[in-house]
Amino acid sequence: MLIERADVIVTSPGRNFVTLKITTDDGVVGYGDGTLNGRELAVAAYLTDHVVPLLAGRDAHAIEDTWQYLYRGAYWRRGPVTMAAIAAVDTALWDIKAKVAGLPLYQLLGGASRERCLVYGHASGKDIPELFDSIRKHLDEGFRAIRIQTGVPGLDSVYGVASSAAASVGGAGSDSRYDYEPARRSALPAEETWDTRAYLRHVPSVFEAVRGEFGEDIALLHDAHHRLTPIQAAKLGKSLEPYDLFWLEDVTPAENQEALRWVRHHTTTPLAIGEVFNSVWDYQHLIREQLIDYVRSPVTHAGGITSVRRIMDYAAMYQVKSGMHGPTDVSPVGLAAAVHLGLALHNFGIQEYMVHSEQTREVFGPTYEFAGGGLRPGEEPGLGIHVDEELAAQYPYERAYLPVNRLRDGTVHDW
Ligand code: KDG
Ligand code: MG
């Protein structure tokens, strides 16, 4: 079975997505997600100009060989654009292989290790009453694990806090900015102001209030979004220990793996990192030295199923679990791949689940299902994705940027 053609689909049903469609010579079609929020067209061009011309005539079943061919063969390894493009090819080939086998993809990855993948949703509010409403809504919808982000007194807008009605499992609206999604369709990125001391003062009181109101049972998570120095991160981890977090995410910027050693030595709050990592090499020291508890790499940004499986097998030796990134900028194709892989992985931990807008779901037709606080892939052969290409064509790409962060004195800071 040979690859006959590959087509890049760029569509924007509420937000931008890049999807690769691979078709074999006997007409089997597979899909892969290559969406890179705010830099989507770089991946689309990488695929169209450099990868698609290499695919025609290759053995559609030779997934590992194609992965190595694109990774080693490019000479210029790694990086988010390259690895998102490789992810799109890899995922599409797994989709094809599973369709040919007549099995849902998770069966080829070893079969189900559990009934469903525990997920966490995003509760947020500019203040405590708004946050509590959002938590209640998530609990009503069946979530058992919830990420908590709030406004900080004195700051106008803070990462992770919804500015419009929050998306819900029942049906996210078609708001131009849904839930906390911060990439805005505008000529220039929005600029936000950040104050680490104000944040560090405020966050522990939020978790105290949440535990006081909702008790000890719900799994609570928090994302510091790369903004702290090692010692600030250590302080935050320590101050949150009484509230028993499931994890504290991205406490320091990703480039410096040494930073996590400092944080780890000061706190027993579990640490998650890696949504901006893109290969097993980014985790080499963090996993071997047991400096983290959860791997955040999603299939979409880290080279596909083949590559994330590699990371997770390495992580398993050190009792490190998966916690794949799943904001709305991972498309339903990427989320479907994550749920198939997560269902099969022995060291699955949790899956992030931000509900896509109704328009997005109409374009991609995912068959995974949310129930009992978890996601389970559909039982049909392959990934369980049905792209409506005519509908996709009705939503042309619109440039969008993630915000830029500045300290109060104007210095650019990590966003
Ligand atoms: O595109 C940026 C988002 O993917 C990121 O801000 C989401 O940090 C994020 C998360 O944990 O979902
Ligand atoms: Mg994050």
Side-chain angles (χ1 to χ4, degrees), residues 109-336:
L109 301 174
S113 291
R114 58 195 55 79
E115 277 293 302
R116 51 187 61 247
C117 297
L118 175 70
V119 299
Y120 71 90
H122 287 195
S124 73
K126 65 177 182 325
D127 51 26
I128 297 285
E130 212 178 276
L131 173 67
F132 281 8
D133 286 348
S134 176
I135 295 174
R136 279 192 200 97
K137 188 161 173 285
H138 279 80
L139 292 174
D140 289 349
E141 287 166 347
F143 281 94
R144 294 192 280 126
I146 301 180
R147 190 183 90 158
I148 303 293
Q149 307 290 138
T150 57
V152 172
L155 295 182
D156 290 341
S157 74
V158 175
Y159 165 80
V161 181
S163 68
S164 57
S168 73
V169 170
S174 55
D175 308 322
S176 55
R177 182 181 176 194
Y178 46 112
D179 207 355
Y180 86 99
E181 168 48 40
R184 284 182 223 162
R185 295 165 163 193
S186 53
L188 291 172
E191 299 214 353
E192 295 180 351
T193 305
W194 180 247
D195 179 337
T196 303
R197 287 192 68 222
Y199 165 79
L200 290 177
R201 274 197 306 273
H202 186 60
V203 174
S205 68
V206 172
F207 278 87
E208 179 159 302
V210 171
R211 280 294 182 216
E213 179 73 12
F214 296 96
E216 303 300 319
D217 276 356
I218 338 168
L220 298 179
L221 302 86
H222 180 68
D223 190 347
H225 224 251
H226 325 268
R227 291 167 186 210
L228 309 178
T229 64
I231 208 69
Q232 290 167 341
K235 185 175 176 184
L236 179 63
K238 266 177 97 160
S239 66
L240 294 178
E241 277 171 22
Y243 313 113
D244 186 26
L245 264 61
F246 186 97
W247 82 33
L248 178 58
E249 178 186 342
D250 283 340
V251 280
T252 52
E255 294 92 332
N256 179 12
Q257 300 203 0
E258 304 269 317
L260 272 295
R261 199 172 295 132
W262 276 96
V263 184
R264 192 63 147 183
H265 285 169
H266 283 93
T267 180
T268 54
T269 295
L271 301 172
I273 202 164
E275 67 184 40
V276 302
F277 292 0
N278 43 61
S279 90
V280 68
W281 301 105
D282 297 322
Y283 291 98
Q284 189 174 9
H285 302 294
L286 293 179
I287 291 177
R288 197 179 60 218
E289 294 184 34
Q290 308 189 68
L291 302 180
I292 58 169
D293 301 279
Y294 294 93
V295 162
R296 291 284 286 138
S297 287
V299 168
T300 304
H301 300 137
I305 291 167
T306 299
S307 173
V308 174
R309 176 92 209 205
R310 200 167 281 143
I311 299 171
M312 292 319 304
D313 285 346
Y314 174 45
M317 290 170 31
Y318 299 92
Q319 292 169 288
V320 174
K321 295 187 173 187
S322 70
M324 283 180 244
H325 192 212
T328 47
D329 43 296
V330 167
S331 87
V333 184
L335 185 61

Side-chain angles (χ1 to χ4, degrees), residues 350-368:
I350 200 166
Q351 172 65 48
E352 182 178 13
Y353 180 39
M354 245 185 111
V355 183
H356 289 105
S357 72
E358 211 171 298
Q359 288 165 297
T360 299
R361 283 180 280 153
E362 276 167 17
V363 167
F364 291 97
T367 58
Y368 45 73

